[in-house]
Amino acid sequence: MQRREFEMKDDRIQAYLRALEHKLWLRGSSNPEIMAEIESHLLESVEAGRRQGLNVEEAEQQALERFGSVKVIANTFEKERMNWMQNILLGIAVLAGLFFAYVDSRPTWDDTGILAGGLLLISGLLTLLGHRKPWLIALAVGIWIPLHDIYLSHDFRLLLVLLFPLIGAYGGWAVRLGIRKTLHLA
Amino acid sequence: MLGEALKGHLDLLLLAILSEGPAHGYAVIESLRQRSGNLFDLPEGTIYPALHRLENQGLLRSHWSEDSLRRKRIYQLTPKGQGALSKRQEEWKKFSEAVNATAGI
C-alpha cells in the first residue's frame, strides 16, 4: 500500500529515493528498512508542507531540501557504518598478525615468502575494506613477528618485516581511494 | 558552523527528545527544530544514521507502527539509554559551566 501511495505522487521523490538507494548500495549501506523509513519521512514531510498551504510541487521541493542532498545523506550513512567497522577490521588485523607470528614461530616452518605475501595481502585487504589508518593496520598485522623474534635474538633489524604490511596497507588504501574516485564516491 | 558543532552533541539531543516518549524520525527532527527555535536545522536525513547507531548500541529500540495510514518506525529509549542520557546530561552540564566560566558568560 505504501508503494502504491508513493507511486501516485510526483516522480521527484521517487527519483530521489532511487538515487539515494543507488548511492547507499555503492557504499554498502543499502537496506530496504532504511529506504522504507526515508520514504515514510519524505511523504510525511510533503503532507506537512501541503498543510502549510504549499502546492504538491512546492511541498515536495521543500521536503527534499530539508532532508538533505543524496550525497550528504549517503556520506552520513557510510561514515556511521565505517566508524562501526573500524574496530572490527582492527581486531581482524590483530588476530591475523598473531596467527602469522604463531606460524612463523613453528620450528617446521621455513617459507618466508608465503609469510611475507600473507602479511602484505591481509594488510591490503583490510584497508581496501575501509580501515582509514593504513599505518595502524600494518602495525597490528606485522608487529608480532618482529616482537617475538627480537625477544629471542635481540636483532632489531627484524623490524624490517614491517615493510611488507606497510606496503600492503598503503596499497589497499590507495586502491580504495582510486575506486571511490572512479565511482564518484569520494 | 553551528551544524558542525551540533553533530558532536546530536546523541544527547536525540536521547533527550526520546526520553519524553516514543516517536518516529520525522517527529524527532520536528521536535529538535521547534525546541531550538529553528537554530538546530540539520539536514533531516542525517539523524537516521545516528538513530540506527544508538539502536545498535542498545540505547534505543524501534518497531514499525501500522496504526496510521503510513508505516512508521517508532523509536523509544531503553533503560540503558536512560542511563546514558543521565550521564551525558551531567557531562554537558559540567562542560558548559566550565566554558561559561572561562569565557566570562
Side-chain angles (χ1 to χ4, degrees):
Chain A
M1 184 192 113
Q2 192 177 353
R3 173 59 60 179
R4 277 204 305 277
E5 179 185 3
F6 171 64
E7 282 173 353
M8 285 166 64
K9 297 200 175 277
D10 190 283
D11 63 3
R12 188 187 314 210
I13 285 184
Q14 204 173 150
Y16 177 91
L17 287 168
R18 276 198 303 268
L20 181 59
E21 188 169 24
H22 180 64
K23 285 274 184 197
L24 289 174
W25 180 80
L26 286 174
R27 289 163 166 80
S29 301
S30 181
N31 174 327
E33 284 220 332
I34 290 174
M35 295 313 300
E37 189 173 22
I38 291 174
E39 182 176 334
S40 172
H41 180 113
L42 288 172
L43 293 178
E44 184 157 4
S45 186
V46 170
E47 280 173 12
R50 295 281 289 146
R51 284 196 298 274
Q52 290 164 6
L54 301 177
N55 65 36
V56 173
E57 195 171 312
E58 289 167 340
E60 287 176 345
Q61 181 69 26
Q62 178 180 271
L64 293 177
E65 281 172 6
R66 285 186 169 181
F67 198 77
S69 73
V70 164
K71 190 172 182 183
V72 165
I73 303 306
N75 283 345
T76 310
F77 270 101
E78 185 189 27
K79 196 175 165 194
E80 287 288 351
R81 189 176 69 87
M82 292 317 297
N83 284 343
W84 175 75
M85 275 184 67
Q86 298 303 295
N87 289 339
I88 291 177
L89 293 174
L90 186 60
I92 293 172
V94 170
L95 289 176
L98 288 170
F99 171 74
F100 286 130
Y102 170 77
V103 170
D104 184 55
S105 70
R106 298 297 86 199
T108 51
W109 179 266
D110 64 351
D111 199 332
T112 308
I114 289 181
L115 215 54
L119 291 172
L120 193 137
L121 278 177
I122 194 77
S123 305
L125 184 65
L126 292 170
T127 48
L128 184 63
L129 286 174
H131 202 285
R132 299 191 190 105
K133 294 179 179 169
W135 63 269
L136 185 58
I137 287 294
L139 268 182
V141 172
I143 196 65
W144 309 105
I145 290 177
L147 269 186
H148 175 258
D149 293 350
I150 289 169
Y151 175 74
L152 294 177
S153 67
H154 305 287
D155 182 357
F156 284 87
R157 286 175 302 178
L158 289 163
L159 283 171
L160 286 174
V161 170
L162 278 172
L163 278 178
F164 294 103
L166 274 170
I167 292 168
Y170 277 95
W173 177 76
V175 170
R176 180 178 168 82
L177 207 63
I179 291 172
R180 288 177 59 81
K181 284 200 171 167
T182 307
L183 296 174
H184 304 291
L185 299 177
Chain B
M1 170 70 186
L2 188 60
E4 286 303 310
L6 177 58
K7 280 178 191 168
H9 307 291
L10 187 57
D11 290 5
L12 167 64
L13 298 172
L14 295 177
L15 292 172
I17 288 167
L18 287 166
S19 71
E20 295 182 354
H24 59 296
Y26 184 81
V28 169
I29 195 85
E30 278 295 302
S31 178
L32 188 63
R33 191 180 286 127
Q34 283 171 12
R35 284 172 166 209
S36 68
N38 288 324
L39 201 60
F40 296 164
D41 197 14
L42 285 173
E44 294 175 358
T46 59
I47 69 158
Y48 286 102
L51 288 171
H52 297 169
R53 173 170 38 77
L54 292 171
E55 186 176 14
N56 287 335
Q57 291 170 352
L59 306 183
L60 301 179
R61 62 169 165 261
S62 74
H63 66 276
W64 285 91
S65 163
E66 305 273 2
D67 58 1
S68 59
L69 276 176
R70 185 171 307 115
R71 287 178 78 223
K72 291 175 183 173
R73 190 170 178 180
I74 308 291
Y75 295 89
Q76 67 184 104
L77 210 60
T78 62
K80 187 179 172 188
Q82 185 62 55
L85 172 62
S86 301
K87 190 178 167 201
R88 285 171 204 214
Q89 283 172 326
E90 191 57 35
E91 285 169 358
W92 172 254
K93 190 164 173 267
K94 283 181 187 167
F95 177 74
S96 58
E97 282 171 359
V99 170
N100 288 346
T102 308
I105 296 170

